[in-house]
Amino acid sequence: SLKNLINSGKWTVLYFYPGAFSKGCTLEARGFQRDIERYRALNAQIVGVSVDPVEKNAQFCSAEGLDFYMLIDTGGRVSNLYGSALSVPGFGMFSNRQTYIIDPEGNLRWVFTDVESRIARHSVEVLEKLNELEAVMA
């Protein structure tokens, strides 16, 4: 569960994405996967969240070789709690593209809300902010 992941004693990069296999979501996931060892070196874990069905998310993880957690947000409950829910008439509920950095004690430390315009460099920006936050807490 998300609660267990957040209480793991690691930094958590919690990112919400609209839909597996879309161009932006694929690019974003690939960026996190590319940098996964850098996150691990910082005692951080990546956790993706979307309202996609389990089967679609599993196919996405397999197709992209993703080695981090991808959670299913059935009904958008978690997206709503984090203010990331997006309802599009005629298409339904989606998770808006936002990223949250949560410290090892479970405290929210940073929110990226304008991810859409910077998807290609988003993982690098998250790493930079994570380094900055860890330095402040040291």
Side-chain angles (χ1 to χ4, degrees), residues 108-128:
L108 180 62
R109 293 294 176 181
W110 195 262
V111 180
F112 293 88
T113 56
D114 182 26
V115 176
E116 197 68 44
S117 65
R118 299 186 315 271
I119 295 171
R121 38 174 289 105
H122 184 54
S123 180
V124 172
E125 291 175 335
V126 173
L127 280 165
E128 288 169 355

Side-chain angles (χ1 to χ4, degrees), residues 35-55:
D35 298 330
I36 194 74
E37 291 306 323
R38 293 176 65 192
Y39 285 102
R40 289 178 177 154
L42 294 170
N43 189 37
Q45 61 188 345
I46 306 296
V47 179
V49 179
S50 81
V51 297
D52 285 335
V54 172
E55 299 79 17

Side-chain angles (χ1 to χ4, degrees), residues 99-102 107-112 129 132-133:
T99 302
Y100 300 78
I101 298 178
I102 302 165
N107 301 304
L108 180 62
R109 293 294 176 181
W110 195 262
V111 180
F112 293 88
K129 182 54 72 177
E132 180 184 313
L133 292 169

Side-chain angles (χ1 to χ4, degrees), residues 55-73:
E55 299 79 17
K56 185 176 181 182
N57 247 4
Q59 291 170 348
F60 183 56
C61 290
S62 179
E64 293 300 324
L66 303 178
D67 188 24
F68 52 84
Y69 296 104
M70 299 293 269
L71 303 181
I72 306 307
D73 185 15

